[in-house]
Amino acid sequence: MTLLQSAATRSDDAGGTAPSAAAPPPTPHHNHPTVDQGRTVPVNLRQSGPTPMELLISTRIRKSPYWHLSVAAGAWRAEVYNRVYHPRGYLSMEEGGPLAEHRSVVEDVTLWNVAVERQIQVKGPDAEDFVNYVITRQAKKITPMHARYVILCNEAGGILNDPVLLRLSEEEFWFSVSDSDLLLWLQGVNVGKGYDVRIQEIDVCPVQIQGPRSTALMRDLVGPVVDDIPNYGLAAAEVAGLPVIVSQTGFTGERGYEIYLYDATLHAEEMWEAVLAAGKAHHLRVIAPAHPRRVQAGILSWGQDMDAETSPLQTNLAYQVPRMKEEDYVGKKALEAQRAQLEAGEAPFTQMLVGMRLGGRPITDYAPDFWLVSTTEDDDPVGYLTSPWYSPELGTNIALGYVPVGNSQVGTRLRVWLPEEYAETPGEPVDAEVVEVPFRPSVNPNTREVLKDEGREFL
C-alpha cells in the first residue's frame, strides 16, 4: 500500500472482519505521519487536500484601506494575515494564475496590496536601546533613513517575527511586520523593562512595486529622488501630493520598492490611482505577492517556513545571529548555546530547513498541505515541504522544506509524495535532491547572499 492511499482503500480496511493471525500487520496510516519534528505543537501533516470554502467577510477581520481597490482590480481569493484580509490572486487559473503573475514580476513591473504589513512604531528617547534589545542584529548600526531585515526571537530562540525594520530618525523606528502579533509582544516586553518609548500601530499602509521596470515607474511617480535610494535605503517623497516613505525593499529578489502611505485610511484611493496612472507606460499589473519568485530567492515566509518553534540557526538565518553583539537581547543566551552545540557537532534540533529540486508535474498553485518527504530507502515520511513551486526560469519544481539534520547536506537524495495532480505516477513519490539556497541569484541580494559571495560571516 502506498503512502497516499485512496479514501476507498482506507474505508475498506476499516470495515468488517478482523485480520487472521497469519495476515501481515496493516500499513501505518500515513495521514497521521509521525515525523520527528522536535516541536511542542507539531505542524499538522495530515494530507487533507484542497478544501473548497467561501471566505467569510465580516467586521471581525479588518479590510485594509486598499481592499476595495484590490477587488476592483480583479482579486478573486484572499487569506487573513495580521487579522487583515489579504488578496492572494488576481489572474484566474485559466489565465495562468500565480505563474502568469510571476512573469510580470520578472519581466515588467507589478503593484501589490501589502497593507497587511502593519507598521508598529517605536518612538521615544530610548527607542534605539529598546529595539536593540528585541532584535538579534545590532540596531545601533542602522542609521536614520535606512532599513534592515531583522528577526525577533523569544527566550528559547524561536522566531517571533521577521520584519523589515525602518529607522526614520534617531528616536523613531517602524517594524513592518510579518504575520504574528508583534505589537502585543513589544508592549509586553516593555511592561517589564520600562524603556522610555511609545509603542503603537500607526495608520501607514505599504504597497510594493516589484520588477525590472520598477525604477522607471518610481521615477515617473516620485521624481529623481528614487535614483539616490540604495538597497534598504529610505526617502521621504510625495505621491499625488501625499507624504510617503519610499524604501528600496521587497519580497522577490527582483529590483523593487515599497511605498508607505501616511494616513492611508484617508488617502488610499489617491495614491493607488496615481500608481496605476504612472504604471500604464511600464506595463504595470496588479498582482498578489509573488511567492514563486521569493522562493527562488530563498526568502522565508513566517508561519509557513518558520515560526516561534524554529530557530534562525535551523532556517538558513544564522547570519542574523551576530557573534560581536555585546549587548543582551531576547533569546541571546539560547541562540549562543545552540551555535556552540552546532560547532561541537551536536545538532540542538532534529530538523533543518533546506532547499530542494524535485520532479513531478509543474506545481502551479499554493500547496494546501505540507507535502511529505521520505528517504530513498523507506516510504515512511521523515520531513515535509513548506513552500513548493515550479520555477519557469530553472525549468523544475523547487521547494523549501524540513528534513532530518542527517539528510540536510547538499546533494542528499530524497523522495517527495506529491498529490495526484502533480505526481509523475499517482501514488508514487518523485525524486528530490537537497540544493543550495537561493536557487538563483537575486537582482538585489540580501545580506546573507552578499556575505556568502564574499566568504564572510555576519558579525
PDB file of all heavy atoms in Angstrom, residues 383-404:
ATOM      1  N   GLY A 383      10.163  14.098   6.783  1.00  0.00           N
ATOM      2  CA  GLY A 383      10.142  15.552   6.729  1.00  0.00           C
ATOM      3  C   GLY A 383       8.966  16.025   5.904  1.00  0.00           C
ATOM      4  O   GLY A 383       8.079  15.246   5.544  1.00  0.00           O
ATOM      5  N   TYR A 384       8.982  17.309   5.568  1.00  0.00           N
ATOM      6  CA  TYR A 384       7.843  17.886   4.846  1.00  0.00           C
ATOM      7  C   TYR A 384       8.258  19.163   4.132  1.00  0.00           C
ATOM      8  O   TYR A 384       9.194  19.864   4.549  1.00  0.00           O
ATOM      9  CB  TYR A 384       6.690  18.175   5.807  1.00  0.00           C
ATOM     10  CG  TYR A 384       7.053  19.032   7.004  1.00  0.00           C
ATOM     11  CD1 TYR A 384       6.844  20.412   6.997  1.00  0.00           C
ATOM     12  CD2 TYR A 384       7.608  18.466   8.151  1.00  0.00           C
ATOM     13  CE1 TYR A 384       7.181  21.198   8.088  1.00  0.00           C
ATOM     14  CE2 TYR A 384       7.950  19.245   9.250  1.00  0.00           C
ATOM     15  CZ  TYR A 384       7.739  20.607   9.216  1.00  0.00           C
ATOM     16  OH  TYR A 384       8.080  21.387  10.310  1.00  0.00           O
ATOM     17  N   LEU A 385       7.547  19.466   3.034  1.00  0.00           N
ATOM     18  CA  LEU A 385       7.769  20.703   2.293  1.00  0.00           C
ATOM     19  C   LEU A 385       6.967  21.834   2.933  1.00  0.00           C
ATOM     20  O   LEU A 385       5.859  21.635   3.420  1.00  0.00           O
ATOM     21  CB  LEU A 385       7.336  20.544   0.837  1.00  0.00           C
ATOM     22  CG  LEU A 385       7.964  19.418   0.019  1.00  0.00           C
ATOM     23  CD1 LEU A 385       7.546  19.557  -1.443  1.00  0.00           C
ATOM     24  CD2 LEU A 385       9.474  19.406   0.151  1.00  0.00           C
ATOM     25  N   THR A 386       7.519  23.037   2.882  1.00  0.00           N
ATOM     26  CA  THR A 386       6.813  24.214   3.376  1.00  0.00           C
ATOM     27  C   THR A 386       6.401  25.144   2.245  1.00  0.00           C
ATOM     28  O   THR A 386       5.321  25.731   2.284  1.00  0.00           O
ATOM     29  CB  THR A 386       7.686  24.992   4.370  1.00  0.00           C
ATOM     30  OG1 THR A 386       8.915  25.378   3.726  1.00  0.00           O
ATOM     31  CG2 THR A 386       7.990  24.154   5.610  1.00  0.00           C
ATOM     32  N   SER A 387       7.254  25.303   1.220  1.00  0.00           N
ATOM     33  CA  SER A 387       6.986  26.242   0.124  1.00  0.00           C
ATOM     34  C   SER A 387       7.414  25.631  -1.207  1.00  0.00           C
ATOM     35  O   SER A 387       8.532  25.845  -1.667  1.00  0.00           O
ATOM     36  CB  SER A 387       7.731  27.568   0.343  1.00  0.00           C
ATOM     37  OG  SER A 387       7.259  28.240   1.484  1.00  0.00           O
ATOM     38  N   PRO A 388       6.547  24.831  -1.842  1.00  0.00           N
ATOM     39  CA  PRO A 388       6.889  24.258  -3.152  1.00  0.00           C
ATOM     40  C   PRO A 388       6.284  25.061  -4.298  1.00  0.00           C
ATOM     41  O   PRO A 388       5.137  25.504  -4.223  1.00  0.00           O
ATOM     42  CB  PRO A 388       6.256  22.867  -3.070  1.00  0.00           C
ATOM     43  CG  PRO A 388       5.048  23.066  -2.204  1.00  0.00           C
ATOM     44  CD  PRO A 388       5.354  24.202  -1.248  1.00  0.00           C
ATOM     45  N   TRP A 389       7.050  25.228  -5.375  1.00  0.00           N
ATOM     46  CA  TRP A 389       6.572  25.919  -6.578  1.00  0.00           C
ATOM     47  C   TRP A 389       7.339  25.412  -7.786  1.00  0.00           C
ATOM     48  O   TRP A 389       8.455  24.868  -7.649  1.00  0.00           O
ATOM     49  CB  TRP A 389       6.775  27.445  -6.476  1.00  0.00           C
ATOM     50  CG  TRP A 389       5.742  28.147  -5.673  1.00  0.00           C
ATOM     51  CD1 TRP A 389       5.855  28.573  -4.372  1.00  0.00           C
ATOM     52  CD2 TRP A 389       4.424  28.502  -6.094  1.00  0.00           C
ATOM     53  NE1 TRP A 389       4.690  29.172  -3.964  1.00  0.00           N
ATOM     54  CE2 TRP A 389       3.790  29.142  -5.002  1.00  0.00           C
ATOM     55  CE3 TRP A 389       3.719  28.353  -7.285  1.00  0.00           C
ATOM     56  CZ2 TRP A 389       2.488  29.629  -5.065  1.00  0.00           C
ATOM     57  CZ3 TRP A 389       2.427  28.831  -7.357  1.00  0.00           C
ATOM     58  CH2 TRP A 389       1.816  29.460  -6.248  1.00  0.00           C
ATOM     59  N   TYR A 390       6.792  25.659  -8.950  1.00  0.00           N
ATOM     60  CA  TYR A 390       7.520  25.448 -10.186  1.00  0.00           C
ATOM     61  C   TYR A 390       8.287  26.720 -10.526  1.00  0.00           C
ATOM     62  O   TYR A 390       7.766  27.828 -10.387  1.00  0.00           O
ATOM     63  CB  TYR A 390       6.562  25.116 -11.333  1.00  0.00           C
ATOM     64  CG  TYR A 390       7.250  24.919 -12.657  1.00  0.00           C
ATOM     65  CD1 TYR A 390       8.016  23.779 -12.898  1.00  0.00           C
ATOM     66  CD2 TYR A 390       7.145  25.875 -13.674  1.00  0.00           C
ATOM     67  CE1 TYR A 390       8.659  23.583 -14.121  1.00  0.00           C
ATOM     68  CE2 TYR A 390       7.778  25.686 -14.894  1.00  0.00           C
ATOM     69  CZ  TYR A 390       8.539  24.549 -15.106  1.00  0.00           C
ATOM     70  OH  TYR A 390       9.177  24.369 -16.308  1.00  0.00           O
ATOM     71  N   SER A 391       9.540  26.570 -10.942  1.00  0.00           N
ATOM     72  CA  SER A 391      10.362  27.697 -11.367  1.00  0.00           C
ATOM     73  C   SER A 391      10.491  27.685 -12.879  1.00  0.00           C
ATOM     74  O   SER A 391      11.220  26.840 -13.426  1.00  0.00           O
ATOM     75  CB  SER A 391      11.751  27.642 -10.738  1.00  0.00           C
ATOM     76  OG  SER A 391      12.621  28.563 -11.371  1.00  0.00           O
ATOM     77  N   PRO A 392       9.820  28.586 -13.594  1.00  0.00           N
ATOM     78  CA  PRO A 392       9.974  28.623 -15.054  1.00  0.00           C
ATOM     79  C   PRO A 392      11.407  28.892 -15.482  1.00  0.00           C
ATOM     80  O   PRO A 392      11.872  28.357 -16.500  1.00  0.00           O
ATOM     81  CB  PRO A 392       9.048  29.774 -15.473  1.00  0.00           C
ATOM     82  CG  PRO A 392       8.068  29.914 -14.353  1.00  0.00           C
ATOM     83  CD  PRO A 392       8.838  29.580 -13.118  1.00  0.00           C
ATOM     84  N   GLU A 393      12.124  29.701 -14.709  1.00  0.00           N
ATOM     85  CA  GLU A 393      13.493  30.053 -15.077  1.00  0.00           C
ATOM     86  C   GLU A 393      14.436  28.855 -14.958  1.00  0.00           C
ATOM     87  O   GLU A 393      15.392  28.722 -15.727  1.00  0.00           O
ATOM     88  CB  GLU A 393      13.998  31.201 -14.205  1.00  0.00           C
ATOM     89  CG  GLU A 393      13.318  32.530 -14.467  1.00  0.00           C
ATOM     90  CD  GLU A 393      11.888  32.597 -13.933  1.00  0.00           C
ATOM     91  OE1 GLU A 393      11.571  31.849 -12.975  1.00  0.00           O
ATOM     92  OE2 GLU A 393      11.089  33.378 -14.466  1.00  0.00           O
ATOM     93  N   LEU A 394      14.180  27.990 -13.967  1.00  0.00           N
ATOM     94  CA  LEU A 394      15.033  26.826 -13.766  1.00  0.00           C
ATOM     95  C   LEU A 394      14.480  25.584 -14.457  1.00  0.00           C
ATOM     96  O   LEU A 394      15.173  24.568 -14.573  1.00  0.00           O
ATOM     97  CB  LEU A 394      15.198  26.558 -12.264  1.00  0.00           C
ATOM     98  CG  LEU A 394      15.853  27.685 -11.461  1.00  0.00           C
ATOM     99  CD1 LEU A 394      15.845  27.362  -9.973  1.00  0.00           C
ATOM    100  CD2 LEU A 394      17.281  27.939 -11.939  1.00  0.00           C
ATOM    101  N   GLY A 395      13.222  25.637 -14.871  1.00  0.00           N
ATOM    102  CA  GLY A 395      12.620  24.516 -15.568  1.00  0.00           C
ATOM    103  C   GLY A 395      12.377  23.308 -14.694  1.00  0.00           C
ATOM    104  O   GLY A 395      12.400  22.166 -15.179  1.00  0.00           O
ATOM    105  N   THR A 396      12.142  23.525 -13.406  1.00  0.00           N
ATOM    106  CA  THR A 396      11.936  22.410 -12.480  1.00  0.00           C
ATOM    107  C   THR A 396      11.120  22.873 -11.287  1.00  0.00           C
ATOM    108  O   THR A 396      11.028  24.090 -11.017  1.00  0.00           O
ATOM    109  CB  THR A 396      13.286  21.844 -12.003  1.00  0.00           C
ATOM    110  OG1 THR A 396      13.066  20.689 -11.194  1.00  0.00           O
ATOM    111  CG2 THR A 396      14.045  22.866 -11.179  1.00  0.00           C
ATOM    112  N   ASN A 397      10.549  21.928 -10.556  1.00  0.00           N
ATOM    113  CA  ASN A 397       9.938  22.243  -9.276  1.00  0.00           C
ATOM    114  C   ASN A 397      11.022  22.483  -8.239  1.00  0.00           C
ATOM    115  O   ASN A 397      12.061  21.799  -8.233  1.00  0.00           O
ATOM    116  CB  ASN A 397       9.038  21.095  -8.801  1.00  0.00           C
ATOM    117  CG  ASN A 397       7.759  20.980  -9.606  1.00  0.00           C
ATOM    118  OD1 ASN A 397       7.180  21.980 -10.015  1.00  0.00           O
ATOM    119  ND2 ASN A 397       7.296  19.753  -9.817  1.00  0.00           N
ATOM    120  N   ILE A 398      10.785  23.439  -7.366  1.00  0.00           N
ATOM    121  CA  ILE A 398      11.698  23.730  -6.265  1.00  0.00           C
ATOM    122  C   ILE A 398      10.881  23.845  -4.986  1.00  0.00           C
ATOM    123  O   ILE A 398       9.657  24.025  -5.026  1.00  0.00           O
ATOM    124  CB  ILE A 398      12.498  25.033  -6.493  1.00  0.00           C
ATOM    125  CG1 ILE A 398      11.543  26.240  -6.619  1.00  0.00           C
ATOM    126  CG2 ILE A 398      13.407  24.908  -7.710  1.00  0.00           C
ATOM    127  CD1 ILE A 398      12.269  27.585  -6.707  1.00  0.00           C
ATOM    128  N   ALA A 399      11.548  23.741  -3.854  1.00  0.00           N
ATOM    129  CA  ALA A 399      10.820  23.833  -2.590  1.00  0.00           C
ATOM    130  C   ALA A 399      11.774  24.133  -1.451  1.00  0.00           C
ATOM    131  O   ALA A 399      12.960  23.785  -1.493  1.00  0.00           O
ATOM    132  CB  ALA A 399      10.069  22.532  -2.294  1.00  0.00           C
ATOM    133  N   LEU A 400      11.227  24.757  -0.436  1.00  0.00           N
ATOM    134  CA  LEU A 400      11.850  24.785   0.877  1.00  0.00           C
ATOM    135  C   LEU A 400      11.147  23.737   1.724  1.00  0.00           C
ATOM    136  O   LEU A 400       9.956  23.461   1.524  1.00  0.00           O
ATOM    137  CB  LEU A 400      11.695  26.165   1.527  1.00  0.00           C
ATOM    138  CG  LEU A 400      12.314  27.334   0.770  1.00  0.00           C
ATOM    139  CD1 LEU A 400      11.908  28.664   1.403  1.00  0.00           C
ATOM    140  CD2 LEU A 400      13.832  27.207   0.732  1.00  0.00           C
ATOM    141  N   GLY A 401      11.877  23.152   2.655  1.00  0.00           N
ATOM    142  CA  GLY A 401      11.247  22.135   3.485  1.00  0.00           C
ATOM    143  C   GLY A 401      12.162  21.674   4.596  1.00  0.00           C
ATOM    144  O   GLY A 401      13.367  21.965   4.608  1.00  0.00           O
ATOM    145  N   TYR A 402      11.572  20.939   5.544  1.00  0.00           N
ATOM    146  CA  TYR A 402      12.315  20.424   6.696  1.00  0.00           C
ATOM    147  C   TYR A 402      12.630  18.953   6.506  1.00  0.00           C
ATOM    148  O   TYR A 402      11.753  18.147   6.125  1.00  0.00           O
ATOM    149  CB  TYR A 402      11.513  20.619   7.983  1.00  0.00           C
ATOM    150  CG  TYR A 402      11.530  22.045   8.468  1.00  0.00           C
ATOM    151  CD1 TYR A 402      10.522  22.926   8.118  1.00  0.00           C
ATOM    152  CD2 TYR A 402      12.574  22.519   9.263  1.00  0.00           C
ATOM    153  CE1 TYR A 402      10.544  24.247   8.542  1.00  0.00           C
ATOM    154  CE2 TYR A 402      12.606  23.836   9.695  1.00  0.00           C
ATOM    155  CZ  TYR A 402      11.591  24.698   9.328  1.00  0.00           C
ATOM    156  OH  TYR A 402      11.625  25.998   9.751  1.00  0.00           O
ATOM    157  N   VAL A 403      13.881  18.610   6.763  1.00  0.00           N
ATOM    158  CA  VAL A 403      14.329  17.220   6.710  1.00  0.00           C
ATOM    159  C   VAL A 403      15.222  16.972   7.926  1.00  0.00           C
ATOM    160  O   VAL A 403      15.732  17.923   8.540  1.00  0.00           O
ATOM    161  CB  VAL A 403      15.101  16.923   5.410  1.00  0.00           C
ATOM    162  CG1 VAL A 403      14.212  17.152   4.194  1.00  0.00           C
ATOM    163  CG2 VAL A 403      16.387  17.754   5.315  1.00  0.00           C
ATOM    164  N   PRO A 404      15.428  15.719   8.313  1.00  0.00           N
ATOM    165  CA  PRO A 404      16.325  15.447   9.436  1.00  0.00           C
ATOM    166  C   PRO A 404      17.712  16.026   9.205  1.00  0.00           C
ATOM    167  O   PRO A 404      18.189  16.110   8.061  1.00  0.00           O
ATOM    168  CB  PRO A 404      16.351  13.914   9.499  1.00  0.00           C
ATOM    169  CG  PRO A 404      15.060  13.483   8.885  1.00  0.00           C
ATOM    170  CD  PRO A 404      14.791  14.488   7.797  1.00  0.00           C
TER     171      PRO A 404
END
